[in-house]
Amino acid sequence: MGAMNFSAQGSITVRRLRTGDVINLSMNTNGIALWQGYDPTGLGSVSPNWNTAANQPTRTPVMRSAKGKTVVMDDAKWYYNDSLIAWGSTTYEADSKTYYVSSNHNGAFAWIPTTGEIRIIKNLASATNTWNDELRFECKAVVDNVGYDMSQVLTIEIVKGGSSSYYATLVADSQLLTLDSPSTTVRGELHLGAADVQNFWIKVLNNESGFIGNAVKATSHSPFYQATKSITRADISGMAMLTAYFYLEDPGVNTNAQPVAKASVKLTDAGDQFDVQLRITSANTEVSDGNPVTVQAYVVKMSDNSEYSLTGKNPTWSLKVMNVQNWTALASSSTDTITVSTTHTDRNGEMYDVEVTADVAWTE
């Protein structure tokens, strides 16, 4: 076996069941980013308008057993900014589906209980809400009558208008590739403050193996222009972090073109032999003053869910603490361990979450 590369990032929850199985939790999308801009100079206008059905983002939890067993979702819950969303009896119709509307949070959310799909049906950005919001999904995954708690956190990016900075988003229709579903589409959007940009290109980089194909140009899509690219299992290995570079001119024509923004998304190839996972090894799991968090990466052999030893295989590790606002590295490590502190999370008087990514290559 020659040198093999793998990558992982901590945004998708992977849990081990007592059955020896591995459950992947990911989110399917309708291609609309969790992004909304508020422009105080435009009579308080919000874009996109989530009161309009065609502009509303959805997220659908998908769970898959590594052994191909049936996974049953039980006790599913959604939280908005750590507050449990309660569901009433009022219904909402969209995309030939029937949703139940939340009885709290001003009826801003709707869901389908049987699938866990959530839909944002009202604007969240406003004069009093110009900072990021958070959605958190929790459920119990049941396989062979054995259950395990699953969760995933989604950030709703809210941007205040009047800014001169570009902001990009990247979403995947599905984050999970399998033998039966070997491809997905990633969708990039570019914004300038609270306004959308229509004329732009993206190049998609697999952070471990290089750029995937040529740049693609944005085309008309609701609610914003999107640049889309198909990604297959051949383009990734294990868990791969894909980063889209956004340009205002075609970088294939002008080789001196410089990107104005970057955004990333993680994809998982559930059919791969190996996986790279991350665990917190410090006593504290959240960063605070004087309390850093230590993260360690390790390799799992997917066939039997065992931790795979790289002893004697000369592994080359690359761990990074990433600023998710512009997807740049705040710190790096050439070992399987990295520490995150307030030096990385606190910037310009604000406190931010960060992502830790991990890549490893070895030879057998």
Side-chain angles (χ1 to χ4, degrees), residues 6-62:
F6 305 88
S7 66
Q9 179 258 4
S11 63
I12 293 179
T13 303
V14 180
R15 293 290 186 255
R16 180 181 299 176
L17 296 180
R18 294 190 298 275
T19 58
D21 206 344
V22 171
I23 305 301
N24 291 279
L25 170 63
S26 63
M27 291 286 167
N28 285 356
T29 82
N30 64 345
I32 299 177
L34 295 176
W35 183 96
Q36 192 167 51
Y38 172 78
D39 187 358
T41 66
L43 301 178
S45 62
V46 173
S47 180
N49 181 4
W50 285 343
N51 296 324
T52 301
N55 298 339
Q56 296 165 351
T58 68
R59 295 296 182 268
T60 306
V62 177

Side-chain angles (χ1 to χ4, degrees), residues 136-148:
R136 185 174 80 251
F137 175 74
E138 294 182 356
C139 76
K140 189 176 293 293
V142 181
V143 179
D144 291 341
N145 296 317
V146 177
Y148 203 90

Side-chain angles (χ1 to χ4, degrees), residues 26 28 62 64 173-185 230-234 236 267-271:
S26 63
N28 285 356
V62 177
R64 181 185 181 277
D173 289 354
S174 173
Q175 295 174 309
L176 188 66
L177 302 184
T178 66
L179 295 175
D180 296 328
S181 301
S183 66
T184 188
T185 298
S230 177
I231 303 296
T232 70
R233 293 186 64 221
I236 68 174
L267 300 184
T268 300
D269 183 356

Side-chain angles (χ1 to χ4, degrees), residues 6 14-15 20-24 64-68 176 238-239 268-277 299-308:
F6 305 88
V14 180
R15 293 290 186 255
D21 206 344
V22 171
I23 305 301
N24 291 279
R64 181 185 181 277
S65 157
K67 294 187 175 181
L176 188 66
M239 287 187 178
T268 300
D269 183 356
D272 241 18
Q273 182 181 4
F274 295 101
D275 183 18
V276 179
Q277 297 185 20
V299 175
V300 169
K301 190 175 182 179
M302 295 298 289
S303 59
D304 59 7
N305 193 36
S306 61
E307 187 168 338
Y308 189 69

Side-chain angles (χ1 to χ4, degrees), residues 47-355:
S47 180
N49 181 4
W50 285 343
N51 296 324
T52 301
N55 298 339
Q56 296 165 351
T58 68
R59 295 296 182 268
T60 306
V62 177
M63 291 182 292
R64 181 185 181 277
S65 157
K67 294 187 175 181
K69 295 185 177 181
T70 300
V71 183
V72 177
M73 181 180 64
D74 188 31
D75 195 25
K77 302 182 181 72
W78 281 97
Y79 294 80
Y80 174 56
N81 293 336
D82 289 326
S83 173
L84 179 66
I85 301 175
W87 306 106
S89 58
T90 302
T91 59
Y92 178 80
E93 302 291 331
D95 298 336
S96 302
K97 300 177 183 178
T98 300
Y99 297 81
Y100 290 89
V101 179
S102 59
S103 57
N104 55 358
H105 302 301
N106 195 35
F109 305 98
W111 88 323
I112 301 175
T114 54
T115 63
E117 177 180 320
I118 194 169
R119 188 181 189 104
I120 303 177
I121 61 174
K122 289 187 178 180
N123 294 324
L124 299 180
S126 68
T128 58
N129 186 29
T130 57
W131 188 241
N132 292 350
D133 289 341
E134 188 177 273
L135 283 173
R136 185 174 80 251
F137 175 74
E138 294 182 356
C139 76
K140 189 176 293 293
V142 181
V143 179
D144 291 341
N145 296 317
V146 177
Y148 203 90
D149 293 329
M150 308 290 291
S151 66
Q152 186 171 152
V153 175
L154 306 175
T155 299
I156 303 171
E157 305 282 354
I158 294 180
V159 177
K160 187 175 181 179
S163 170
S164 60
S165 298
Y166 287 97
Y167 186 87
T169 63
L170 189 69
V171 299
D173 289 354
S174 173
Q175 295 174 309
L176 188 66
L177 302 184
T178 66
L179 295 175
D180 296 328
S181 301
S183 66
T184 188
T185 298
V186 295
R187 303 174 183 274
E189 295 177 359
L190 185 62
H191 309 273
L192 181 60
D196 66 302
V197 178
Q198 298 182 357
N199 195 37
F200 68 91
W201 288 256
I202 65 168
K203 288 185 69 175
V204 178
L205 175 75
N206 180 330
N207 287 8
E208 65 174 80
S209 61
F211 284 102
I212 301 172
N214 299 320
V216 292
K217 186 179 181 180
T219 58
S220 180
H221 191 275
S222 178
F224 299 123
Y225 273 65
Q226 290 185 346
T228 63
K229 190 170 185 64
S230 177
I231 303 296
T232 70
R233 293 186 64 221
D235 297 319
I236 68 174
S237 177
M239 287 187 178
M241 183 65 65
L242 302 185
T243 300
Y245 289 73
F246 291 72
Y247 300 82
L248 299 182
E249 53 187 326
D250 187 349
V253 175
N254 182 359
T255 57
N256 294 320
Q258 297 297 314
V260 297
K262 293 185 290 184
S264 291
V265 67
K266 188 176 102 170
L267 300 184
T268 300
D269 183 356
D272 241 18
Q273 182 181 4
F274 295 101
D275 183 18
V276 179
Q277 297 185 20
L278 299 168
R279 56 190 168 203
I280 294 175
T281 57
S282 54
N284 49 296
T285 60
E286 294 185 354
V287 175
S288 60
D289 290 333
N291 294 296
V293 168
T294 302
V295 178
Q296 183 185 45
Y298 61 103
V299 175
V300 169
K301 190 175 182 179
M302 295 298 289
S303 59
D304 59 7
N305 193 36
S306 61
E307 187 168 338
Y308 189 69
S309 174
L310 297 181
T311 302
K313 297 179 174 63
N314 299 316
T316 301
W317 285 99
S318 175
L319 272 66
K320 295 179 181 179
V321 179
M322 302 299 294
N323 175 349
V324 297
Q325 275 66 47
N326 58 13
W327 208 251
T328 56
L330 300 166
S332 61
S333 170
S334 58
T335 71
D336 63 355
T337 302
I338 197 166
T339 299
V340 183
S341 69
T342 53
T343 301
H344 311 118
T345 59
D346 298 6
R347 302 183 299 278
N348 302 318
E350 300 286 350
M351 293 179 288
Y352 299 90
D353 294 337
V354 295
E355 295 286 348

